[in-house]
Amino acid sequence: MYEELLEYYEVLKLCEDCKEIITKLRKYLELIEKDRRVAEKVRIINTRDDINVIRETLFQLIFYLWGKEEVDD
């Protein structure tokens, strides 16, 4: 799961007009099972328009999901 989010993160680092990518990211985030911490990060991504905030929050979400996946294994 975090691999797909990592792809979005990489694209967001390079894009100039990120609105289309952010829209796709938000649609993808609707599909993710959310615990409390994930829901908090998704809410920030869905309500903010500042690309830097979205990128940073997405990075935090990826790191959290990666760590969660490692613990579950």
Side-chain angles (χ1 to χ4, degrees):
M1 173 189 316
Y2 70 88
E3 293 93 351
E4 291 87 354
L5 292 175
L6 193 55
E7 290 176 24
Y8 278 107
Y9 179 75
E10 292 299 325
V11 171
L12 286 174
K13 286 193 327 189
L14 302 174
C15 71
E16 293 194 24
D17 181 15
C18 299
K19 290 180 183 182
E20 184 178 333
I21 302 301
I22 292 170
T23 299
K24 289 180 181 180
L25 171 61
R26 288 174 176 166
K27 287 181 181 175
Y28 181 76
L29 290 174
E30 291 175 10
L31 306 174
I32 294 179
E33 184 179 327
K34 298 169 185 70
D35 63 20
R36 205 165 127 199
R37 190 164 205 156
V38 171
E40 174 189 333
K41 301 296 182 196
V42 169
R43 181 189 58 75
I44 292 169
I45 291 169
N46 285 341
T47 59
R48 301 296 286 271
D49 290 327
D50 183 334
I51 187 63
N52 293 322
V53 172
I54 291 171
R55 263 197 303 257
E56 178 61 29
T57 305
L58 181 57
F59 180 78
Q60 293 170 11
L61 178 59
I62 292 166
F63 190 73
Y64 173 73
L65 291 172
W66 176 79
K68 187 174 175 184
E69 191 173 286
E70 291 294 311
V71 169
D72 291 343
D73 288 342

